[in-house]
Amino acid sequence: MKNVSIFSGMLAVLIALFGVRAVADDHCNLSLGAADNMQFSTKAMAAPVACENVTVTLNHTGVFPKNAMGHNWVLTTEADFKGVAMDGGSAGLKNNYVKEGDTRVIAMTEIIGGGESTSVTFSTEGLTAGTAYTFFCSFPGHWGIMKGTFTLS
Ligand code: CU
């Protein structure tokens, strides 16, 4: 009888752990859209502090190819944003408009065109909860408008 109650107790703990984990995982997956109007579908993204990793999926809902209306999702600190964006302008499409080996970049996707999707998974280790990081599209001429905040909260 004692063994049975220990077993069911452990089972309850396991269910609780996996149940919480499943919810946390769900909230660690974020997505946003961008179309030919040069706008992201959101200006503020947030993930729970509990997320060890965050996955961001970018859906390009437009029709123009990536060399004309390409979009990506790049994450930096607010302070690094402009420098990374300006340096990225001359890096070219082959480098997804991000300077090669730019250590200021926390996470980034490739540049995609209309109808395409891409995603990036990055560790939240080293990010500060409550700090508003900047996400943006580094395609030349886009980052003035295509930007927003990313926060662990
Ligand atoms: Cu763009």
Side-chain angles (χ1 to χ4, degrees):
M1 197 58 199
K2 194 181 171 195
N3 282 342
V4 170
S5 71
I6 288 171
F7 176 74
S8 57
M10 283 173 65
L11 198 62
V13 168
L14 281 175
I15 289 168
L17 281 176
F18 282 101
V20 168
R21 174 100 191 144
V23 170
D25 277 348
D26 195 38
H27 290 98
C28 303
N29 292 316
L30 308 175
S31 66
L32 76 170
D36 295 331
N37 63 354
M38 231 171 81
Q39 304 259 349
F40 280 124
S41 59
T42 179
K43 289 199 170 292
M45 302 175 74
V49 177
C51 298
E52 289 178 14
N53 294 291
V54 172
T55 297
V56 172
T57 300
L58 171 65
N59 301 303
H60 191 319
T61 55
V63 296
F64 289 122
K66 64 183 175 185
N67 60 354
M69 185 52 73
H71 300 309
N72 63 356
W73 188 90
V74 181
L75 183 67
T76 64
T77 63
E78 189 182 4
D80 286 340
F81 150 60
K82 277 189 182 149
V84 172
M86 289 173 75
D87 290 347
S90 53
L93 180 57
K94 70 177 193 311
N95 291 314
N96 299 297
Y97 294 109
V98 171
K99 188 176 83 177
E100 262 184 299
D102 195 329
T103 55
R104 296 168 296 182
V105 172
I106 298 166
M108 62 173 283
T109 71
E110 61 182 332
I111 293 267
I112 55 171
E116 297 178 325
S117 291
T118 186
S119 67
V120 60
T121 299
F122 57 97
S123 169
T124 59
E125 201 180 341
L127 297 187
T128 307
T131 296
Y133 293 86
T134 300
F135 73 82
F136 63 98
C137 171
S138 67
F139 193 96
H142 288 199
W143 51 268
I145 301 164
M146 293 187 73
K147 61 177 193 251
T149 59
F150 171 84
T151 313
L152 284 179
S153 53

